[in-house]
Amino acid sequence: MTTQKGFDPQDFRAALGTFTTGVTIITTRATDGEPIGITANSFNSVSLNPPLVLWSLAKNARSRDAFTSARFWNVHVLSAAQEELSGRFARQGEDKFAGLELDEGISKAPLLNGCTARFQCRTAFSYDGGDHIIFVGEVLAYDRSELPPLVFQSGQYALAARKPREEVRLGSTPPPECSYTEDLLGYLLGRAHYQMLYALRQLLSTQALDERSFFILSVLSIRDRLSLQELNAFISYTGMLADESSMSTLESQRLVAMEQDGAQTRYVLTADGREASLRQIALAKAVEEDIAAKLGPGDTMALKLLLKRLIATSDPGMPDLWSPR
């Protein structure tokens, strides 16, 4: 780690950017009634009693006059689903409030919905802060939700995931010589996968279907009329391959039908097969929702994002099931 003695503005800004913050939209109304809103991550708490918060605004901001003359303003802590809204209010030259439904607040300052938390404030003090003006506001009303917050770090949006105060132990204490496995990515992914699959197996058994059938029907419900080779290209990562015997079994159950395409046999999903596939998807969704409820929406969203990145970085070149033929 190097220590910077001089202050290169861009490098200093990058260093400050390593501090992870939430993302807010601050709103007020100009003296002529025009709604004003900007994206800011300078929001912070000041005091619980009295309830005070602060944020800062660049002195060269176009909204400076509106905020310095306004008595009331609202702080919206954005949820992870409001990334587009954050970008909209960070830009200039457009009607930022177009198409937005506003809630009624205690003042005329615009009150956005769908946020993780909202603070309705009255200006208590304002201070000179170098190239910024620091606004300190008295919180007159607030509300919060369980929506995961939008996070900003090093110039990029991020997701927040909860970290337990104490180390999470998996099951019984492993022997000392094997304790390192708890931190191996492969072990963690494998255990999570098989635990989810175990729960799904219990539900699939009630439908007289096995895992291979689950994968085959799932693929055919998205992309029909596949040859055996094409079908296996999509499910080979599971370690299970379809063969003529497994396809004949599904055909005898009237879930799959065969079509001849010249010398090649192609498989299509029947009406019964599509219904069975929908039931399978519903069962898989039930397992997912049960786990997501235990994780919470923030951790679930962060987990999905990380898994998508892991899939993209570890992809050996498998065909994309959702891409056009």
Side-chain angles (χ1 to χ4, degrees):
M1 182 176 181
T2 58
T3 301
Q4 289 283 7
K5 295 182 179 179
F7 278 84
D8 172 38
Q10 293 301 318
D11 190 66
F12 181 53
R13 183 175 183 176
L16 292 173
T18 62
F19 180 64
T20 303
T21 69
V23 183
T24 70
I25 289 175
I26 318 288
T27 61
T28 191
R29 284 196 183 271
T31 53
D32 61 1
E34 178 188 2
I36 303 293
I38 61 168
T39 299
N41 66 340
S42 57
F43 172 70
N44 214 327
S45 62
V46 175
S47 169
L48 294 179
N49 188 20
L52 299 174
V53 297
L54 67 77
W55 65 287
S56 61
L57 176 68
K59 288 181 178 178
N60 62 0
R62 297 172 63 181
S63 56
R64 171 182 173 174
D65 290 343
F67 280 105
T68 53
S69 61
R71 188 181 179 195
F72 299 97
W73 37 269
N74 296 331
V75 179
H76 306 81
V77 179
L78 299 187
S79 67
Q82 293 179 306
E83 184 176 322
E84 184 278 330
L85 197 64
S86 170
R88 180 197 294 199
F89 277 82
R91 294 189 292 270
Q92 297 181 358
E94 64 177 273
D95 184 357
K96 299 176 181 180
F97 292 89
L100 296 181
E101 292 186 8
L102 301 177
D103 291 339
E104 185 174 348
I106 62 175
S107 73
K108 293 183 179 179
L111 190 60
L112 308 175
N113 54 41
C115 304
T116 297
R118 303 183 297 187
F119 301 90
Q120 301 183 60
C121 306
R122 174 174 56 201
T123 299
F125 315 99
S126 63
Y127 300 98
D128 184 280
D131 55 6
H132 280 63
I133 301 171
I134 300 171
F135 292 92
V136 178
E138 177 188 5
V139 179
L140 304 176
Y142 75 92
D143 58 83
R144 64 187 179 92
S145 72
E146 295 301 318
L147 296 172
L150 184 63
V151 178
F152 198 71
Q153 206 272 336
S154 295
Q156 291 184 314
Y157 291 115
L159 292 174
R162 295 170 300 170
K163 181 178 180 181
R165 289 179 180 268
E166 298 179 0
E167 183 182 0
V168 177
R169 303 297 299 179
L170 304 179
S172 59
T173 303
E177 66 273 13
C178 297
S179 60
Y180 71 91
T181 60
E182 284 201 357
D183 286 327
L184 288 178
L185 181 60
Y187 168 75
L188 294 172
L189 286 171
R191 179 159 178 173
H193 164 72
Y194 284 111
Q195 285 181 181
M196 282 193 69
L197 202 56
Y198 175 79
L200 181 59
R201 282 193 192 116
Q202 309 311 303
L203 296 178
L204 285 177
S205 64
T206 66
Q207 305 293 314
L209 292 170
D210 57 15
E211 293 168 51
R212 191 195 313 271
S213 299
F214 172 81
F215 290 119
I216 292 172
L217 296 184
S218 295
V219 168
L220 289 177
S221 69
I222 298 170
R223 180 169 291 194
D224 217 351
R225 299 193 74 254
L226 295 178
S227 67
L228 202 58
Q229 182 179 4
E230 291 170 334
L231 181 60
N232 281 326
F234 292 117
I235 67 172
S236 60
Y237 74 96
T238 68
M240 301 179 187
L241 294 177
D243 55 26
E244 292 183 0
S245 175
S246 58
M247 299 309 293
S248 294
T249 299
L250 290 174
E251 185 184 22
S252 67
Q253 295 173 317
R254 298 183 179 180
L255 302 177
V256 167
M258 291 189 296
E259 288 185 355
Q260 288 301 129
D261 182 13
Q264 193 170 51
T265 301
R266 294 189 175 275
Y267 297 93
V268 298
L269 209 58
T270 65
D272 288 344
R274 190 163 299 278
E275 184 178 339
S277 179
L278 291 175
R279 285 198 302 269
Q280 288 183 163
I281 293 171
L283 294 176
K285 193 68 177 175
V287 172
E288 177 185 326
E289 289 178 351
D290 179 60
I291 292 174
K294 295 173 182 175
L295 285 176
D299 288 358
T300 300
M301 188 176 293
L303 177 61
K304 287 182 178 180
L305 177 63
L306 289 174
L307 289 175
K308 287 178 181 179
R309 290 175 59 188
L310 177 60
I311 290 170
T313 56
S314 61
D315 183 11
M318 290 175 53
D320 186 354
L321 188 58
W322 286 271
S323 65
R325 287 178 185 269

